[in-house]
Amino acid sequence: MFRLAHLTDPHVGPLTRPRLRQLLSKRATGYVNWQRGRKDAHDMEVLAALVADLRAQGHDHVACTGDLCNIGLPSEWSTAKVFLEALGAPDAVSFVPGNHDAYVRGSLEGLLHACGAWTSGDDGLQGHFPYLRRRGPVALVGLSSAIPTKPFAATGRLGPAQIAAAEALLVALAAEPEPPCRVVMIHHPSHPGGTTPARALMDAGTFTAMIGRVGAELILHGHNHVRSVAFVPGPDGAAIPVVGAASASARGDARHHRASYHLYTITRDGTGYAVAGVERGLTETGNIADLGPLKLTRS
């Protein structure tokens, strides 16, 4: 049995006051949005409580699917590293970046320079996507959909080269004498219609078609700040779950907007794997508790 925790979109704060020249970009609107409400929507005390609960549950590995940063300031890169260190050592936590981590040109490179150890594949390369990490019966395939965008846009893109490389990895893993449970990590919802056009993965159709050819056992994402479960077709009619988690720091009023994380139990089941998941998160009373199972099979 292998236990995999998934959390996403912590939007670690607080933000330091930017210099004027740092606001001569998309950061200007992002900083205004932070001051007008995002700083209150993302509560670091809630995030700390969630991480403490995650650590207490017992797990073998943590998947973090992006948006450590808010507006891509250099001061955020060291803060992001401190957060990842709190989650666990680089070999125990796998990170892929989100759109806020690539807020403006140069932001992603700065973050990966600080936090690249959490993206190191089994080949030892850091900050190269896709990467592959083997952990017990699980093979984690980390993808980057993070690209800088214009103001008021939050789209992502993988690109043909990354999709082709991911396909080659997934094919090779499936061909092994004892294939591992293949878990794909990405920030944006990877399926068409997973979010609005201004926030979508632009090559979701191409990626989903690839998954339809070669398959995977589980796809994890963030970005939407809500719990969601969708299914995409895999080989031989299989229904592959695509699961999004809520923001790990959100103090929302609505149940589905409050901070949570997911905990998966992966066990061998004949020639394949059985994957079960539960959500743990913030309740109306401010406690962290079990919020119920994730439905990972299509009716």
Side-chain angles (χ1 to χ4, degrees):
M1 183 180 72
F2 189 90
R3 286 166 66 84
L4 175 67
H6 172 219
L7 83 167
T8 192
D9 296 80
H11 291 280
V12 183
L15 281 183
T16 58
R17 186 175 180 86
R19 298 177 180 177
L20 178 60
R21 62 179 176 81
Q22 293 175 327
L23 294 177
L24 300 179
S25 64
K26 180 182 177 178
R27 286 193 183 116
T29 55
Y31 187 66
V32 169
N33 288 338
W34 173 265
Q35 292 293 334
R36 287 183 174 177
R38 289 183 66 88
K39 67 178 181 180
D40 297 319
H42 295 285
D43 188 319
M44 296 305 101
E45 291 186 6
V46 168
L47 179 60
L50 202 76
V51 171
D53 184 83
L54 184 156
R55 293 177 67 89
Q57 292 307 306
H59 58 272
D60 297 293
H61 201 76
V62 179
C64 179
T65 52
D67 279 2
L68 301 183
C69 297
N70 294 284
I71 59 174
L73 289 170
S75 60
E76 294 186 85
W77 305 334
S78 57
T79 304
K81 184 178 180 181
V82 169
F83 170 74
L84 288 175
E85 289 172 338
L87 277 185
D91 64 346
V93 179
S94 295
F95 167 69
V96 297
N99 56 293
H100 280 264
D101 300 318
Y103 208 70
V104 297
R105 294 188 184 279
S107 293
L108 181 58
E109 291 79 5
L111 177 67
L112 293 178
H113 179 75
C115 302
W118 286 267
T119 69
S120 176
D122 290 342
D123 56 8
L125 296 176
Q126 296 184 6
H128 291 260
F129 301 94
Y131 66 74
L132 172 64
R133 287 180 152 197
R134 303 291 296 264
R135 299 293 186 269
V138 173
L140 293 144
V141 177
L143 302 175
S144 176
S145 59
I147 57 172
T149 59
K150 296 178 180 179
F152 308 110
T155 51
R157 184 176 64 244
L158 293 169
Q162 191 176 183
I163 292 175
E167 181 169 11
L169 280 177
L170 292 168
V171 167
L173 292 167
E176 293 182 2
E178 292 188 11
C181 179
R182 298 166 298 169
V183 178
V184 177
M185 300 166 52
I186 184 173
H187 177 71
H188 289 78
S190 63
H191 55 297
T195 188
T196 60
R199 296 172 47 79
L201 181 69
M202 292 185 286
D203 43 11
T206 303
F207 176 79
T208 299
M210 180 273 285
I211 292 294
R213 293 190 296 271
V214 304
E217 281 61 60
L218 180 64
I219 301 174
L220 305 178
H221 72 85
H223 192 52
N224 285 343
H225 292 196
V226 294
R227 161 182 162 171
S228 64
V229 180
F231 297 92
V232 296
D236 303 322
I240 298 170
V242 181
V243 188
S247 164
S249 61
R251 183 180 286 282
D253 294 328
R255 153 74 178 83
H256 59 285
H257 275 291
R258 288 197 291 267
S260 68
Y261 70 93
H262 297 166
L263 188 60
Y264 296 93
T265 302
I266 300 169
T267 54
R268 293 191 183 275
D269 182 17
T271 59
Y273 292 89
V275 181
V278 297
E279 182 183 22
R280 291 188 61 82
L282 191 66
T283 67
E284 290 183 0
T285 59
N287 298 320
I288 306 295
D290 192 328
L291 301 179
L294 299 168
K295 186 177 180 181
L296 302 180
T297 56
R298 177 175 278 167
S299 300

